[in-house]
Each structure stands twice: as structure tokens, then as C-alpha cells.
């Protein structure tokens, strides 16, 4: 059985967050999304949130030091003891090196790094149409996953929805550039460690989940 400390890699809008949520429910391991943590900090108006907001609005990457400190605190919490799914972290080689050191100091190691691969051409339409339920977090899409009843969440019945401030066509270009320039070098980094597996993310999301579950085992 494959272990349960993993990284989900992949471009913005490629479905990492959706898949991480499913794996969290399936295996009882926590999803650690640095993007979600930063958005919560922005909303709460904390010092971290204030520092991150402008960078996120530009589609650029927040500083490695800030992110590494945030994830180090989070991984130390009790709910991470059984495993975790890193979603959106690491995003740069220095972040990956810091993670290696952090885990080594704790005497634990990563079990898998999985890339959910989606071609650029598909990402813009996937990102610009997406929205989530403000109450339960269920994800939807204007074209690919519509609400069954207009204006009402299928899962919890809420009528409030959120669209991310950075999910617009202009910012998506900068986010894709950051991904190719700064995050893509992580694939050879983890390949060299024998950890990298690649899943085709440009398919029905249930098929993608099936592949991930096959990699992770029971
Ligand atoms: P995400 O929700 O993963 O798409 O992240 C949204 C935004 O948060 C990114 O465009 C970055 O500005 C910032 N961010 C999230 N995770 C990281 C990270 N690991 N390193 C640097 N910036 C990050």
C-alpha cells in the first residue's frame, strides 16, 4: 500500500483542489492548501494576509519564507500526524528544499508526488468559469459543472457563491507564467528522487480520481 503523505502538483485550474478534497474524504488525511490558507488570511486581515494580497491579485508567488513558515506551523498540528495532501505547495525549488528539510527533521518522508497534468489551452476556460458554494465549499463551473437548480447549491441548499478574485483572464496569464517558470522545475526535482507520478488531468474528474486512488491504494 502506498503511503499517505503526498503532494498534488499541477497548473492552476488543473483540478488539484477538487481532487485533494476527494482524497481527504476518501482516506481521512488532511488537505493543506496554501492558497486556501492565504485567502483565509486575506479575509481575516492578518499581517500575512496584508502582505500576500497584492501579490495574489497580480497572479505572482508569495515569498518562500512566508509560505514555508506557514506550512511548517500547519504540518506540526495534530491532524497531520496520519498524513496530508499538499495542494499548491511547494511551488518553487527553494520551497521543496525547505520541505525536505522540515520532514527530515521530523523523521518522516514523502510517499508520492503526483502531477495532475492539463494543457495550458484548457486551463483558461476551466479557471474563468469556476465558482464555489460560500457555505459548504462545493465547486461548480459555468459550463462544465452547472448547478442543478439555478442559484442553489446542489449539496447544502445555500444561495451564496464565491468567485476567486484572481480567477480572471488577465491574472490567469501571470499565474500560468509563474507555474511554468517557477513550479515546473519541481517535476525533474521529484523525478530524480523517484517520487513523481503523472496523471492525465484533462478528463472527466471521476476518471482522474480513479487514477489517484489506484496510485494511493486502499
Ligand atoms: P492557489 O489557490 O493554489 O491557486 O493559490 C492562489 C495564489 O496564492 C497564488 O497565485 C499565489 O499568489 C499564492 N500562493 C499559493 N500557494 C503558494 C506557494 N506555495 N508559494 C507562493 N505563493 C503561493
Amino acid at each position: 500500500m502506498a503511503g499517505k503523505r503526498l503532494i498534488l502538483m499541477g497548473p492552476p485550474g488543473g483540478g488539484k483542489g477538487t481532487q485533494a478534497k476527494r482524497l481527504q474524504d476518501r482516506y481521512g488525511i488532511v488537505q493543506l492548501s496554501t492558497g486556501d490558507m492565504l485567502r483565509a488570511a486575506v479575509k481575516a486581515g492578518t499581517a500575512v494576509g496584508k502582505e500576500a494580497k497584492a501579490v495574489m491579485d497580480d497572479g505572482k508567488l508569495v515569498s518562500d519564507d512566508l509560505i514555508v513558515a506557514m506550512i511548517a506551523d500547519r504540518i506540526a498540528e495534530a491532524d497531520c500526524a496520519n498524513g496530508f495532501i499538499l495542494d499548491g505547495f511547494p511551488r518553487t525549488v527553494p520551497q521543496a528544499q525547505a520541505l525536505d528539510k522540515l520532514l527530515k527533521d521530523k523523521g518522516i518522508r514523502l510517499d508520492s508526488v503526483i502531477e495532475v497534468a492539463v494543457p495550458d489551452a484548457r486551463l483558461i476556460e476551466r479557471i474563468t468559469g469556476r465558482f464555489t458554494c460560500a457555505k459548504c465549499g462545493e465547486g461548480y463551473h459555468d459550463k462544465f459543472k452547472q448547478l442543478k437548480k439555478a442559484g442553489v447549491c446542489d449539496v447544502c441548499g445555500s444561495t451564496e457563491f464565491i468567485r476567486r478574485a484572481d480567477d480572471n483572464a488577465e491574472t490567469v496569464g501571470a499565474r500560468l507564467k509563474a507555474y511554468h517558470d517557477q513550479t515546473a522545475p519541481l517535476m525533474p526535482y521529484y523525478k530524480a528522487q523517484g517520487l513523481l507520478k503523472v496523471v492525465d488531468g484533462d478528463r472527466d474528474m471521476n476518471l482522474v480520481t480513479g487514477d489517484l486512488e489506484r496510485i494511493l491504494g486502499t
Side-chain angles (χ1 to χ4, degrees), residues 113-130:
V113 177
I114 308 176
E115 179 191 358
V116 180
V118 181
D120 276 14
R122 304 276 296 137
L123 296 169
I124 297 187
E125 64 172 355
R126 280 174 69 152
I127 293 181
T128 51
R130 70 184 181 177

Side-chain angles (χ1 to χ4, degrees), residues 18-19 22 139 144-145 201 203-210:
T18 304
Q19 297 297 337
R22 290 180 167 197
F144 306 124
K145 190 183 165 198
R203 294 173 300 156
D204 179 283
M205 62 180 122
N206 295 328
L207 297 176
V208 179
T209 308

Side-chain angles (χ1 to χ4, degrees), residues 76-214:
E77 286 179 35
D79 61 346
C80 294
N82 287 337
F84 47 77
I85 308 157
L86 291 168
D87 160 15
F89 174 89
R91 274 234 203 357
T92 64
V93 171
Q95 288 181 19
Q97 289 164 336
L99 176 66
D100 281 347
K101 177 159 188 322
L102 192 85
L103 297 180
K104 196 165 168 229
D105 290 349
K106 286 179 175 294
I108 55 180
R109 56 179 189 78
L110 287 171
D111 299 295
S112 319
V113 177
I114 308 176
E115 179 191 358
V116 180
V118 181
D120 276 14
R122 304 276 296 137
L123 296 169
I124 297 187
E125 64 172 355
R126 280 174 69 152
I127 293 181
T128 51
R130 70 184 181 177
F131 61 98
T132 52
C133 171
K135 196 166 161 212
C136 73
E138 183 71 6
Y140 295 97
H141 193 282
D142 293 330
K143 207 155 131 193
F144 306 124
K145 190 183 165 198
Q146 295 171 343
L147 294 161
K148 292 199 177 98
K149 184 169 171 226
V152 182
C153 176
D154 299 357
V155 176
C156 76
S158 167
T159 52
E160 279 180 49
F161 298 90
I162 306 172
R163 285 181 194 261
R164 279 173 49 172
D166 59 350
D167 277 353
N168 59 73
E170 301 83 66
T171 313
V172 171
R175 287 163 67 196
L176 285 177
K177 181 165 168 29
Y179 181 74
H180 290 297
D181 293 352
Q182 291 168 274
T183 307
L186 291 179
M187 305 316 163
Y189 179 90
Y190 285 116
K191 197 167 179 203
Q193 294 188 19
L195 289 172
L196 185 69
K197 298 175 185 81
V198 183
V199 163
D200 176 3
D202 192 16
R203 294 173 300 156
D204 179 283
M205 62 180 122
N206 295 328
L207 297 176
V208 179
T209 308
D211 278 3
L212 293 172
E213 289 180 346
R214 262 187 292 285

